[in-house]
Amino acid sequence: MLSRPHPVRRLAVGALAGAAGTLAMDLVWYVRARREGNHEGFAEWEVVRDLESWDAAPAPGQMGRKIIGAIAGSDPPVERAAAVSNIMHWIYGTSWAAAYALAFPRRPVWAGPALGAALWSSDYVTLPLAGLYKPIWRYDARTLNKDLSAHLVFGTVTDLTLRIVEDRPGAR
């Protein structure tokens, strides 16, 4: 009988899988940006740089700003906006995946896409409540489809990575 991996190991493997899922989702967005005329290399495109104001920061950075502001009692300096954006983006994907790995050690094959859909729908609840997104009904179907499909890639790659790592000899 196979034993269950230790919870700390499941969290760590989940975070690793979340990094793979986040990277895969970012590659989807990057390919789309290239099709729309962006000529930056992936590294230049991926890493947020030189934001001149917090208003220019993407949603993960804006959420990080809110969290840091709530804890510290004041906004972090705008010079930290790019770093906060990048760190929050990666923490978000890896933490969702770590929680997923811990909560669902045995999963049906459709669980990965379900993870992506859950994350996507959660974004359209929490981010409007935080004042960072409009309510979901204010977005057109094309925008929602593009966002959902990228999140489905995140969930699928995250789950596939978990399955590969979990099935390795000696992984338990």
Side-chain angles (χ1 to χ4, degrees), residues 27-168:
L27 286 168
V28 167
W29 286 112
Y30 175 69
V31 167
R32 290 174 179 169
R34 295 284 295 190
R35 283 189 200 141
E36 294 171 2
N38 186 305
H39 298 293
E40 292 179 303
F42 180 71
E44 292 79 21
W45 177 89
E46 172 70 9
V47 178
V48 176
R49 292 180 177 81
D50 303 326
L51 294 172
E52 296 193 16
S53 73
W54 275 108
D55 293 334
Q62 294 283 352
M63 185 60 84
R65 173 190 184 190
K66 287 181 178 284
I67 292 168
I68 293 168
I71 293 169
S74 63
D75 275 348
V78 72
E79 296 81 28
R80 302 282 185 253
V84 169
S85 295
N86 291 310
I87 291 166
M88 284 297 295
H89 171 65
W90 286 90
I91 286 174
Y92 193 64
T94 57
S95 62
W96 264 86
Y100 172 75
L102 186 62
F104 302 105
R106 304 282 183 258
R107 304 167 305 280
V109 70
W110 51 263
L115 169 65
L119 178 56
W120 174 83
S121 58
S122 154
D123 287 349
Y124 284 94
V125 172
T126 57
L127 295 175
L129 289 173
L132 303 178
Y133 271 19
K134 300 179 284 190
I136 192 169
W137 57 85
R138 295 224 176 129
Y139 290 95
D140 62 271
R142 184 173 186 269
T143 299
L144 294 173
N145 183 51
K146 285 173 68 174
D147 199 16
L148 175 59
S149 63
H151 282 80
L152 292 174
V153 168
F154 166 82
T156 302
V157 170
T158 296
D159 186 71
L160 180 60
T161 303
L162 275 173
R163 291 174 192 277
I164 290 168
V165 173
E166 290 168 347
D167 289 345
R168 273 188 24 252

